[in-house]
Amino acid sequence: MGEITEEINSLFAPPPATELPPDILGELQSILRLHSTTPQELFFKWESYSIKMGSEETKLDLTTVRAFKKDVQESLERENRGKVHVRSTDKRIGVHGTPRNTAGNGDIFGIIFRLDSLVPNTPRPGTTESHKGSAVKRKGGFETPGTSKNSKGDSFALHGKSRTTHQGAKEGFNSVHSIPFADRQNAGQTIETLNNELPTLKPPIPSSEPRIKLTANSDLKKYSYKPMAMHLSEASEVLDDRIDEFMNLVQVHHELEDSAFGNAASQSTSEIVAVGRIASDMLEGKLNSASIVLETARRMGAGLRVPLKVDSVPSYELFPGKIVALRGVNASGEYFSVNEVLSMPLLPPAASLPRVLDELNVRLDPETSDLSGGTPLNILLASGPYTTDDDLAFEPLQAICDKASSTYADALVLIGPFLDLEHPLLASGDFELPEDATHEPDKATLNDVFRILIGNPLRRLAQDVPSITIILVPSVRDAISKHVSWPQEPVPKKELGLPKQARFVSNPVMLSVNEFVVGISSQDILYELRREEVVGGKPTASNLLARLSRHLIEQRHFYPLFPPVAREHMPKSGMADGLATGATVDTSYLKLGEWLNVRPDVLITPSALSPFAKVVESVVVINPGTLSKRKGAGTYTQMTVHPRKVTHEERAVGKMVGHKMFERARVDIIRI
């Protein structure tokens, strides 16, 4: 290794220097190990790269050497893809040909060659250099790389960048080179605003007491079921009961007789109303107009499936799992011809008594006892991930905590994942705790990691703003959650070092924040609906995001899709294989995702789709985006909730009044 280091220095060190800086030298040595090449060959590649970048005097520093490292890896990937394409072409031309070892290295199908790019320090067959010092190379590959002693913040933030990770964290098939958080552009820029006519917050005034009263509208103990213990009989009953429930709702809403309903799978010339679940007749592939089938309930149709013919319907918006009521006829017995898609009744909006609203308005400004409410509520919303793929500095999380502290936020809603299972460094275990951490690295648990990386900023925030309410919603991608399926129980906060102002809730959850109702789910249902939805004719809502949100409101569920989208079709993760965690839905407990009694005033559905804030069926639907993207900073949401002023007429009548959040909530989507 000493000879290789001297050769690297002699080739790459710019005169009059005789040695390269340790960080640059480490990156070049990493390239040599990964690709089993020689320093001379690497120098030729560097010269070629310098010419390609447009300058023969490209300065060799840490930034350029990492870019060069990525370029070498991408060149190898292109070469591999070309060889695979050639092999597949040869296979089609000579189907019965016998594979031959033309390279003379014993690798008939190129398997060892492909593994070379995945497993560090594996000598490439057929190269003479791979046999020289191979034992030294292997030994070096399994040593723990040393790290330079930087400042507290930089030391931990840059550990991942100065190390070679073997799970595709930064080098490999899903390599990312993120923009440093301090160098992000357009920080604080508002990209979308709902109810722009409403005033923004006045200069913040600290409050001695919490101005928010938080109440869970569901029994959180029900979410503590045993995951991965699903029985098929229970799952089928849950799916079947949902069809029966919607049949009763449709009958009451449209004032239909019992005789109006029938079995869509039975041949008949009489027009009937059939209620069932949309499904596909294909095991794989996206739903389309030719593959739509209706799954009937056991009581009405013995659970049979019948193809649907929707040519005569002016418009339709369907997806697998959607419960629909269809008016039509099955004259041939082969398919059900749909003449009309009946509308589904919506849940009533949330409402409160005038005296309750008066009490809550006084709580907002107790010094003046003003029934009109006084100062608006300041609520910040953010969704994970909370750090980029190449470090665990959690700078975006610290930034949102600083924002909550400087504006004296009344509530901070943080939606998981917090310690993301899809984060390359967490998945590989190739990271180090900050230098000021008191835990021994070999004995630290994931709870300790959470306490240090996430608990510390939240504790500082609670000290700065004692009146704040912090709400944390877990995700199925959270490494600290032992509950691996959705719906998901709250994460026990005992060992996480969270302040008393913080509270973990279930996923999904319905909460009453003072008077208004908020529904939150960390599952990315909007992305999955967009992929699976099939639309015919002129849709009822021209805006895609509003249409997807309306599906949730109409179906009265946080996750109306069934079956979930396969992992292969979800947004790619930062892992080497690129596979996402997926929905991990427990069908037996899907009822925990239903909306009961009322539809929420605010619906928060984080998604990989573009961030937005829209009013859909009097519900304020918000996708705050992710606080951190894989390569850079993301977005968050600031919600300014003005008081619900009760009129004299409403107070005199004394009946329940709507909250009208769509009129009094200003929502800003802001770049962190």
Side-chain angles (χ1 to χ4, degrees), residues 368-665:
T368 61
S369 299
D370 186 4
L371 295 181
S372 63
T375 309
L377 287 175
N378 176 23
I379 301 175
L380 300 182
L381 314 172
S383 176
Y386 293 93
T387 189
T388 54
D389 271 8
D390 62 350
D391 67 47
L392 290 174
F394 285 89
E395 293 174 291
L397 176 64
Q398 297 173 18
I400 192 70
C401 289
D402 292 342
K403 177 69 175 180
S405 176
S406 62
T407 59
Y408 293 97
D410 295 292
L412 173 63
V413 181
L414 300 177
I415 305 170
F418 299 97
L419 296 183
D420 192 357
L421 287 171
E422 297 181 3
H423 194 288
L425 297 179
L426 286 171
S428 66
D430 191 10
F431 65 93
E432 295 180 1
L433 296 174
E435 294 179 353
D436 57 351
T438 58
H439 298 79
E440 295 184 26
D442 295 337
K443 297 181 180 180
T445 65
L446 285 174
N447 288 338
D448 297 327
V449 176
F450 182 96
R451 185 186 300 110
I452 296 169
L453 301 182
I454 296 176
N456 284 343
L458 296 182
R459 286 193 294 272
R460 288 195 296 268
L461 172 61
Q463 292 175 359
D464 296 340
V465 189
S467 61
I468 195 172
T469 300
I470 304 174
I471 304 170
L472 297 99
V473 184
S475 165
V476 294
R477 287 165 49 185
D478 267 310
I480 58 169
S481 177
K482 297 179 181 179
H483 203 275
V484 297
S485 58
W486 188 96
Q488 188 177 16
E489 70 175 352
V491 178
K493 57 176 285 188
K494 182 179 179 181
E495 300 180 359
L496 300 179
L498 293 173
K500 65 178 182 179
Q501 293 91 335
R503 178 181 179 183
F504 254 113
V505 296
S506 62
N507 172 34
V509 67
M510 280 282 193
L511 297 172
S512 287
V513 181
N514 287 355
E515 79 281 0
F516 59 92
V517 179
V518 180
I520 311 173
S521 175
S522 62
Q523 206 81 319
D524 191 353
I525 181 60
L526 296 182
Y527 180 90
E528 297 187 47
L529 284 177
R530 187 198 67 165
R531 188 187 184 282
E532 296 297 324
E533 184 191 36
V534 54
V535 179
K538 185 178 181 180
T540 55
S542 57
N543 185 275
L544 171 65
L545 300 175
R547 188 173 72 245
L548 298 178
S549 303
R550 194 181 191 283
H551 286 318
L552 306 182
I553 300 171
E554 186 182 72
Q555 295 291 298
R556 309 178 176 200
H557 206 285
F558 285 104
Y559 196 89
L561 182 69
F562 185 84
V565 173
R567 298 171 60 193
E568 294 79 7
H569 301 144
M570 297 290 289
K572 299 298 182 182
S573 69
M575 301 299 296
D577 57 8
L579 276 180
T581 303
T584 66
V585 173
D586 195 318
T587 309
S588 300
Y589 293 90
L590 274 178
K591 197 170 183 63
L592 294 175
E594 290 184 354
W595 300 357
L596 303 176
N597 304 324
V598 297
R599 61 181 184 263
D601 296 300
V602 180
L603 177 61
I604 304 173
T605 58
S607 174
L609 302 180
S610 300
F612 69 89
K614 298 185 181 298
V615 176
V616 183
E617 298 294 346
S618 75
V619 178
V620 179
V621 185
I622 302 173
N623 170 22
T626 58
L627 193 65
S628 175
K629 300 178 182 179
R630 288 184 57 195
K631 298 184 180 182
T635 58
Y636 71 96
T637 297
Q638 182 170 18
M639 186 164 61
T640 306
V641 183
H642 292 263
R644 171 63 165 95
K645 299 179 180 179
V646 183
T647 64
H648 295 293
E649 292 78 8
E650 291 173 336
R651 192 174 288 109
V653 174
K655 293 184 179 180
M656 304 277 281
V657 295
H659 299 153
K660 298 183 179 180
M661 280 290 290
F662 55 90
E663 294 181 352
R664 59 189 182 96

Side-chain angles (χ1 to χ4, degrees), residues 2-286:
E3 296 178 357
I4 295 178
T5 301
E6 292 178 1
E7 189 174 358
I8 293 175
N9 284 325
S10 63
L11 290 171
F12 288 87
T18 58
E19 293 183 355
L20 292 170
D23 51 356
I24 298 178
L25 179 62
E27 292 288 351
L28 294 175
Q29 290 174 337
S30 173
I31 300 175
L32 291 179
R33 290 195 301 268
L34 283 172
H35 304 289
S36 297
T37 186
T38 63
Q40 185 65 55
E41 185 178 357
L42 184 63
F43 182 71
F44 291 152
K45 292 180 181 292
W46 166 251
E47 289 185 326
S48 175
Y49 173 77
S50 300
I51 296 173
K52 183 176 71 172
M53 297 303 293
S55 172
E56 296 184 0
E57 298 179 357
T58 302
K59 182 180 179 181
L60 183 65
D61 54 24
L62 191 58
T63 301
T64 57
V65 76
R66 286 175 177 165
F68 169 57
K69 188 176 187 178
K70 181 180 179 181
D71 182 80
V72 172
Q73 181 65 37
E74 290 175 347
S75 299
L76 179 62
E77 291 175 19
R78 287 194 296 269
E79 181 182 350
N80 287 350
R81 287 194 295 267
K83 291 187 176 182
V84 171
H85 176 71
V86 170
R87 281 197 297 273
S88 62
T89 304
D90 294 341
K91 185 179 294 185
R92 288 194 297 269
I93 296 174
V95 178
H96 303 288
T98 302
R100 301 188 182 277
N101 179 16
T102 57
N105 54 20
D107 183 15
I108 296 176
F109 294 104
I111 294 175
I112 300 176
F113 176 72
R114 289 196 296 274
L115 287 175
D116 180 13
S117 61
L118 293 175
V119 183
N121 310 323
T122 302
R124 178 174 173 178
T127 57
T128 56
E129 294 295 334
S130 64
H131 300 288
K132 297 180 180 180
S134 59
V136 177
K137 292 182 180 179
R138 287 192 180 92
K139 181 179 178 181
F142 290 100
E143 290 177 350
T144 302
T147 54
S148 59
K149 302 295 182 181
N150 302 321
S151 62
K152 290 182 179 180
D154 294 341
S155 173
F156 187 58
L158 298 178
H159 274 164
K161 297 181 181 180
S162 61
R163 302 164 65 87
T164 301
T165 60
H166 306 296
Q167 301 292 331
K170 290 183 299 300
E171 286 79 42
F173 293 104
N174 289 300
S175 61
V176 295
H177 293 268
S178 63
I179 301 173
F181 188 75
D183 298 337
R184 67 193 187 280
Q185 297 181 354
N186 303 320
Q189 178 187 15
T190 301
I191 60 177
E192 184 173 341
T193 299
L194 178 66
N195 291 332
N196 190 39
E197 69 280 1
L198 295 177
T200 56
L201 282 174
K202 298 177 181 179
I205 301 175
S207 175
S208 58
E209 296 294 331
R211 300 202 305 156
I212 282 182
K213 180 181 178 182
L214 197 66
T215 307
N217 292 352
S218 55
D219 187 359
L220 300 185
K221 294 181 180 179
K222 292 182 178 180
Y223 292 84
S224 300
Y225 62 88
K226 184 179 180 181
M228 301 180 68
M230 180 174 62
H231 298 283
L232 291 179
S233 57
E234 296 177 358
S236 63
E237 288 176 3
V238 169
L239 297 174
D240 197 62
D241 291 345
R242 183 164 167 79
I243 298 177
D244 291 337
E245 292 171 3
F246 269 85
M247 183 180 296
N248 296 331
L249 293 173
V250 170
Q251 183 174 10
V252 173
H253 179 70
H254 292 279
E255 300 178 351
L256 300 173
E257 300 292 336
D258 292 342
S259 57
F261 295 91
N263 180 10
S266 297
Q267 181 178 2
S268 175
T269 56
S270 301
E271 188 178 66
I272 62 169
V273 174
V275 179
R277 176 180 292 103
I278 295 297
S280 175
D281 64 355
M282 301 183 299
L283 294 178
E284 298 181 356
K286 187 178 181 297

Side-chain angles (χ1 to χ4, degrees), residues 320-337:
K322 183 176 183 178
I323 308 298
V324 293
L326 308 174
R327 193 190 301 274
V329 62
N330 185 354
S332 64
E334 297 179 356
Y335 59 86
F336 186 77
S337 181

